[in-house]
């Protein structure tokens, strides 16, 4: 099976812009979760989608949003980018949810200037 | 919120050595996972272990939820074990919102 893929792999944006990141899960996986990793805050959980519904949400402002499509592919969007949004964004997929083994993508590295 | 502390923060080993990584948490949890991030950034989910002991090859993990800690054992370490090991915990309840520790950075020399 193909692994989890994320696009784009690298992205440079300027403050105030918005960005959309994409995650394609492993075939048959219905859960997609998103994480942010920065040197200052470490790894933080953003949200989880399961069968097109947001099931869990971390403590991030409303500028961070996501969605999941019927084929389980997921997108996350960050509006009004801030310098502090520069990070590695990771997505993971699993069959039934985050209590199961999650398989991670390679990440999207976002730089906000 | 829940506090997660991992120790040691850094660890350097020679190939073949054994090691124990620790994860302490401040509140009662019924969800705990261990992850490994290799030097190229790829994250791997090692264990989901809310309690008890699990083993996978040279790695094993034990969680004692009542005493609020978990241990990850690496035996006969190899250079490919290098990277950062994270634990993540989530409190009891309907939702699952994991909190990650800062990680233990492991370097295994040949």
């Amino acid at each position: 099976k193909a692994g989890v893929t994320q696009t784009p792999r690298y992205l440079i944006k300027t403050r105030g812009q918005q960005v959309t990141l994409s995650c394609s899960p492993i075939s048959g996986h219905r859960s997609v979760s998103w994480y942010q990793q920065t040197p200052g805050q470490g790894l933080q959980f953003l949200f989880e989608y399961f069968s097109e519904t947001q099931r869990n949400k971390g403590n991030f402002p409303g500028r961070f949003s996501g969605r999941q499509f019927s084929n389980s592919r997921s997108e996350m969007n960050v509006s009004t980018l801030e310098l502090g949004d520069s990070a590695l964004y990771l997505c993971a997929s699993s069959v039934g949810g985050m209590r199961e083994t999650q398989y991670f993508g390679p990440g999207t590295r976002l730089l906000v200037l | 919120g829940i506090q997660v502390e991992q120790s040691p923060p850094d660890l350097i080993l020679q190939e073949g050595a054994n090691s124990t990584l620790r994860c302490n948490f401040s509140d009662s949890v019924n969800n705990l996972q261990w992850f490994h991030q290799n030097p190229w950034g790829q994250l791997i989910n090692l264990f989901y272990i809310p309690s008890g002991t699990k083993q996978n090859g040279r790695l094993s993990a034990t969680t004692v939820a009542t005493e609020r800690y978990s241990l990850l054992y690496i035996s006969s370490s190899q250079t490919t074990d290098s990277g950062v090991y994270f634990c993540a915990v989530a409190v009891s309840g309907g939702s699952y919102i994991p909190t990650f520790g800062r990680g233990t950075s492991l370097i295994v020399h040949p």
Side-chain angles (χ1 to χ4, degrees), chain A residues 28-99:
Chain A
H29 287 193
R30 296 166 65 188
S31 168
V32 174
S33 52
W34 288 89
Y35 302 84
Q36 182 197 64
Q37 186 173 28
T38 62
Q41 299 299 316
L43 267 168
Q44 297 184 88
F45 168 71
L46 280 158
F47 30 65
E48 181 208 10
Y49 284 85
F50 182 84
S51 292
E52 302 181 63
T53 300
Q54 186 180 85
R55 187 157 67 174
N56 293 292
K57 186 178 188 304
N59 188 26
F60 276 81
R63 300 185 298 107
F64 292 81
S65 63
R67 60 179 176 168
Q68 188 179 32
F69 302 95
S70 58
N71 62 356
S72 292
R73 189 178 70 87
S74 178
E75 290 181 347
M76 67 162 282
N77 184 79
V78 188
S79 62
T80 319
L81 284 166
E82 301 176 0
L83 296 179
D85 297 333
S86 295
L88 178 67
Y89 290 89
L90 295 158
C91 80
S93 76
S94 62
V95 173
M98 297 167 63
R99 290 179 177 83

Side-chain angles (χ1 to χ4, degrees), chain B residues 12-89:
Chain B
I12 300 175
L13 301 174
Q14 287 295 128
E15 208 168 22
N18 302 328
S19 61
T20 301
L21 283 58
R22 188 177 181 102
C23 173
N24 290 337
F25 39 93
S26 60
D27 291 315
S28 297
V29 301
N30 64 354
N31 300 285
L32 188 142
Q33 296 189 339
W34 283 97
F35 301 85
H36 173 227
Q37 188 169 36
N38 69 20
W40 297 271
Q42 180 66 46
L43 208 61
I44 295 172
N45 191 179
L46 298 174
F47 294 104
Y48 173 73
I49 183 166
S51 64
T53 298
K54 286 187 177 180
Q55 181 158 6
N56 185 2
R58 296 180 297 101
L59 272 60
S60 64
T62 295
T63 297
V64 184
T66 53
E67 297 188 21
R68 302 181 183 175
Y69 74 89
S70 182
L71 302 174
L72 179 69
Y73 305 94
I74 305 174
S75 65
S76 304
S77 58
Q78 300 176 359
T79 55
T80 52
D81 295 330
S82 296
V84 183
Y85 290 82
F86 296 98
C87 68
V89 303

Side-chain angles (χ1 to χ4, degrees), chain B residues 2-18:
Chain B
I2 190 168
Q3 304 297 313
V4 182
E5 291 187 7
Q6 292 188 241
S7 60
D10 301 283
L11 191 56
I12 300 175
L13 301 174
Q14 287 295 128
E15 208 168 22
N18 302 328

